[in-house]
Amino acid sequence: MNDARAWTRAALIGGLWGALELSVGSVLHLSRLPLTGLVMAAVGLACLLTLRRISPLPGVCLVAGAVAVVVKVFGIGGLYPGPLIGIAAEALLVELALSLLPRGAAAAAAAGALVFLWGPVQKLAMTRIVAGRDTIEAAVTLAGRALAAVGLEGVGVGWAAGTIAAVLATAGGAVGWAAWRLAGRVAGRL
């Protein structure tokens, strides 16, 4: 007997995630507040981890991501690659982490770390594709000068980038762990 509830939940949570991206995400990005991408990554992570906790079937996160992408495309009236790639990648990263690692809070924390690290990786890749290699080299030079301006001339750009990556991974892991615990409460009520 096939139970369609998991796929219905995937469609519903994907629709909710897409609607949140359209409403809350648009307001945050238009407000030009810092770290809005991380806030929206945390929202998407909470949606995906809740879905996977209440419907532990492989592939449900991918379905939710596809639905969120469709909602976003029709909501903004076009194909804007940045947010669409971000949503799809987030769904894929959560699906991979929860499929490859033993199920539980540790896998959710790993998923959170991956999702939080994806934003800067995507931004660098898109910058390289759109503006070329020289732009990345200029950004590295500028980062070195900025470090020197604040008294950190001995710190290399690689070390600074590694520190930022470690902070993002730690924050993402904490959000993933907290979202998994919250999802446990939701699953308990169902």
Side-chain angles (χ1 to χ4, degrees):
M1 180 167 104
N2 286 335
D3 189 3
R5 283 183 289 188
W7 307 109
T8 303
R9 288 178 184 140
L12 289 172
I13 290 180
L16 171 66
W17 181 20
L20 289 170
E21 285 282 346
L22 280 173
S23 57
V24 176
S26 296
V27 169
L28 287 175
H29 286 293
L30 290 173
S31 68
R32 303 267 188 221
L33 292 171
L35 306 176
T36 58
L38 291 179
V39 171
M40 292 314 298
V43 166
L45 187 63
C47 289
L48 291 170
L49 291 175
T50 300
L51 170 63
R52 190 62 185 261
R53 185 110 189 225
I54 62 176
S55 297
L57 292 176
V60 292
C61 291
L62 296 176
V63 171
V67 170
V69 165
V70 169
V71 169
K72 185 84 170 173
V73 165
F74 287 110
I76 60 178
L79 292 171
Y80 296 96
L84 302 181
I85 292 170
I87 292 168
E90 187 171 342
L92 179 63
L93 290 170
V94 170
E95 184 68 40
L96 286 173
L98 295 178
S99 295
L100 298 176
L101 298 173
R103 189 167 170 240
L114 290 172
V115 164
F116 271 45
L117 288 171
W118 173 251
V121 169
Q122 180 183 350
K123 188 163 293 275
L124 283 173
M126 293 299 286
T127 301
R128 171 71 166 85
I129 290 168
V130 172
R133 181 179 177 176
D134 294 338
T135 304
I136 301 297
E137 292 173 0
V140 169
T141 302
L142 183 64
R145 290 182 183 166
L147 287 169
V150 296
L152 299 173
E153 54 273 328
V155 176
V157 173
W159 282 101
T163 301
I164 291 170
V167 168
L168 285 173
T170 302
V175 169
W177 178 81
W180 187 257
R181 288 185 45 96
L182 176 66
R185 290 184 178 186
V186 172
R189 289 185 171 234
L190 294 176

